[in-house]
Amino acid sequence: MFGIIKVRIMQGDQAIPDVKKAVLNPAFRGFPVISPGCGRLSFDADKICPTGALKNDPVSIDMGKCVFCGECGRACKNAEIEMSYCHHISADSREKLIIKPGDKYLEFEDAAVMARAEIKRLFGRSLKLRQVSAGGCNGCEMELNACTNVNFDMGRFGIDFVASPRHADGIVITGPVTKNMAPALEDTYKAIASPKIIIAAGTCAISGGIFKDSEELDRSFFDRHKVDLYVPGCQVHPLTFVNGVLRFLGHK
């Protein structure tokens, strides 16, 4: 027993005590900052950006398409674009993910996810999610698994992944949605009792990512159903996911 206590003291507290105030390593690439006076880029955006997230006329970056590779920042001759390590980048609409010159992180964070009263009332104290990998590379799936480990401990907020859609309040989609997985995704969604929510996690789920032009995709699910929360990233960072869901549920 004393040995166990000694090991516990040596290991210290593994959990992040406050996930909302947690700061990531500066090497992490998160919210892109475009200089306020940037009217036109000093390079050809189409040749640099692999997913078409970066536009030149007018200048903007769509975080729903961005794979956060950082190539645009390295191509800048006049430091027009800088990838910050700010990770609270979830949003409740596709339009809010488009960053323009002069947009500031704190203002984005305040307005990106607006907690709806009905969501807070229904799921504020307990939210069970069924995750569907719809053709993903397993990158986002691994990070979502990490949300429940001892470091991020998403369960302390009443948020958990469950094994059956019958036990779920919502669905978390990762991957670009291949033709093979499209029927399974639709079946899983229908198996969840209403009211239910949809979360698109990762660039592939939000826009198709680098696979957006593939003939093997069937993304018609998103034409039939409205996504409630978008969580950008390639892959999604656990803190981005946890904080995005907490704000969606109305946690301050």
Side-chain angles (χ1 to χ4, degrees):
M1 177 177 176
F2 290 108
I4 295 174
I5 295 174
K6 183 179 178 181
V7 170
R8 181 68 181 84
I9 293 173
M10 289 176 63
Q11 290 179 339
D13 190 357
Q14 298 297 305
I16 299 173
D18 189 344
V19 295
K20 299 171 187 174
K21 296 181 180 178
V23 178
L24 296 184
N25 188 298
F28 178 80
R29 288 190 286 269
F31 184 84
V33 179
I34 309 175
S35 60
C38 182
R40 192 166 184 81
L41 298 171
S42 57
F43 56 89
D44 188 344
D46 293 335
K47 293 183 179 179
I48 294 297
C49 184
T51 59
L54 180 63
K55 299 298 181 185
N56 202 3
D57 189 20
V59 177
S60 66
I61 295 178
D62 185 348
M63 289 198 294
K65 296 181 179 178
C66 183
V67 293
F68 300 87
C69 62
E71 285 297 322
C72 53
R74 287 187 283 271
C76 288
K77 297 179 181 177
N78 304 313
E80 303 102 320
I81 300 174
E82 179 182 356
M83 303 299 287
S84 74
Y85 58 92
C86 301
H87 60 280
H88 291 207
I89 53 177
S90 300
D92 55 17
S93 75
R94 278 292 282 116
E95 292 74 19
K96 291 180 181 179
L97 293 178
I98 299 175
I99 308 303
K100 301 172 183 175
D103 285 355
K104 298 179 180 177
Y105 172 67
L106 292 179
E107 295 175 356
F108 168 85
E109 183 185 12
D110 286 341
V113 181
M114 306 304 292
R116 304 201 302 265
E118 58 176 329
I119 296 295
K120 185 176 181 179
R121 178 176 63 83
L122 291 171
F123 306 123
R125 301 180 63 181
S126 175
L127 177 66
K128 306 305 177 188
L129 298 167
R130 173 61 182 167
Q131 196 263 320
V132 175
S133 175
C137 68
N138 213 30
C140 287
E141 291 81 353
M142 289 180 65
E143 298 297 338
L144 292 180
N145 285 338
C147 292
T148 60
N149 69 18
V150 67
N151 300 115
F152 304 103
D153 193 16
M154 185 172 65
R156 66 181 131 164
F157 305 110
I159 308 167
D160 286 300
F161 291 115
V162 293
S164 169
R166 295 296 187 188
H167 303 156
D169 305 308
I171 189 170
V172 180
I173 305 168
T174 56
V177 188
T178 61
K179 288 181 178 178
N180 287 340
M181 283 303 298
L185 177 61
E186 185 70 31
D187 289 346
T188 304
Y189 176 76
K190 289 179 178 177
I192 299 173
S194 297
K196 49 194 168 185
I197 64 173
I198 299 176
I199 300 174
T203 302
C204 289
I206 296 174
S207 65
I210 60 174
F211 308 106
K212 59 183 176 63
D213 297 324
S214 172
E215 296 179 352
E216 296 305 313
L217 299 188
D218 179 0
R219 295 179 54 79
S220 59
F221 177 89
F222 296 105
D223 298 329
R224 295 189 296 273
H225 308 292
K226 178 182 178 298
V227 174
D228 297 286
L229 181 66
Y230 297 91
V231 187
C234 184
Q235 57 279 355
V236 169
H237 194 285
L239 285 175
T240 303
F241 182 83
V242 174
N243 282 296
V245 175
L246 286 177
R247 289 189 70 92
F248 180 69
L249 298 178
H251 290 242
K252 299 296 184 182

